[in-house]
Each structure stands twice: as structure tokens, then as C-alpha cells.
Amino acid sequence: GENVEQHPSTLSVQEGDSAVIKCTYSDSASNYFPWYKQELGKGPQLIIDIRSNVGEKKDQRIAVTLNKTAKHFSLHITETQPEDSAVYFCAAMAPKAAGNKLTFGGGTRVLVKP
Amino acid sequence: ETGVTQTPRHLVMGMTNKKSLKCEQHLGHNAMYWYKQSAKKPLELMFVYSLEERVENNSVPSRFSPECPNSSHLFLHLHTLQPEDSALYLCASSPGRMNTEAFFGQGTRLTVV
């Protein structure tokens, strides 16, 4: 089955700096890669996703890149703000006949210091 | 607010108790999921239901028993749990089509004493 590795597990950045989180996946059939942000006391919420037919996607201060050949994808947050502090999860999904199944990375705890 | 509601938000139960977690979505989604989140394994898929049929059971102990009476509701029945079952239990739903977003509820924080 699919295996997703995520690094780093914790990341501390100064406000205004950039943060980068990297993930690798094992199943070459995976073609959907969402990123979730989980704030304290809440469930994960989708912040951006990318499908395998594109290499990069941007939404304001966040961007995701995908390298299908190397089977890795990354989340980039620019001009970080204190409200970006949270746990971030990457995930990968391969086409299945019944029921989408997301495989998640281990998570990255991001702390933005004012 | 994601449209997926879980109750209760917090639950403390003894090892001999029987309790149920409830999940409800009115997004018109056809697939629903239970995940377990703990410090050891942050997001661990437990069960998948598609069109009210269980399509995946990830080797979950029988003390966890899911039920999906219709496409809007999902339950997780708990009995004779162990302290190591203490975790955040997250419900999610998705449209059921290939490669679409999963929407998560806020979770139930379960403590087994």
C-alpha cells in the first residue's frame, strides 16, 4: 500500500520568513495530493491540493510543488504569520474502485515566532 | 465549520463501559471515514464506508464497531476499551468520487480510564 513520509516533524520560523515542508510517497499510481492544517482543538482542514497533471499550484501565501518522477511534493508558506502556527499534514491518494483512501504523512508542527 | 459534526466533543469512559461516537454530515457525500489520531500515529485510518457499505477495515480490534445506517450518519460503538485507545477520533466525509477533498469533523477526544 501507499506510504507517505513527511519532514521535518517540527519547524520553528521567525515571523515573515518562509516555511517548507516536504513529503515523499511510494505508490506511483497516486495522483491527488492534499495538504491539511490542524489547529489546536480542531479537525484537519484542507488548505491546498494538487493533482498529478500539474507541477505547481499557488494560493496567496501558500504553494505546493509536485515532482512525479521523484515521487515527492512540498508545501511552501511565504511571509509566515503567527496564525500559521499549527500542525500540517500531507496526504496522497491513489485511484480506488470504492471509497477514496487518503494516506497521511506523520505531520509537521509549525511554530511561527513573533 | 466544515459541515461534518461529531458528538460528543469529549468523552471519558471506563474500560467496562459501552459508548458510541456519532458523526453527521449533510454535504450530500457518499463516503465516510473514521480516523484515530494519537501521538504515536497521527492520522490512522480505521474504517471506510462508501454508499453505506463498509469497504475497508484496517485491522481494527473488534472492540471498535462501526455502523453506517445511511449516507449522512456514521457511528463508532465502543466497548471494553483499553487505556491505549485514548485518542482523538476524527470522522470525515468525501463526495466519493475519485480524488476529491475529505472534510473532517472536529473530533471526539476520548479518554479511557
Side-chain angles (χ1 to χ4, degrees), chain A residues 25-100:
Chain A
Y25 60 99
S26 61
D27 188 348
S28 57
S30 289
N31 57 7
Y32 175 63
F33 307 92
W35 286 88
Y36 285 82
K37 175 183 181 182
Q38 187 175 21
E39 297 175 328
L40 196 63
K42 297 184 178 180
Q45 290 206 334
L46 181 78
I47 56 172
I48 194 168
D49 57 14
I50 190 168
R51 289 174 169 77
S52 59
N53 58 344
V54 298
E56 185 174 355
K57 184 176 178 181
K58 189 174 181 179
D59 183 3
Q60 298 182 355
R61 295 188 298 106
I62 59 173
V64 58
T65 58
L66 171 64
N67 183 326
K68 287 171 54 180
T69 303
K71 289 190 285 188
H72 66 70
F73 55 112
S74 300
L75 177 72
H76 304 253
I77 307 173
T78 58
E79 301 173 25
T80 53
Q81 300 169 5
E83 54 264 36
D84 295 328
S85 296
V87 180
Y88 292 80
F89 293 95
C90 64
M93 181 190 292
K96 297 292 182 186
N100 293 335

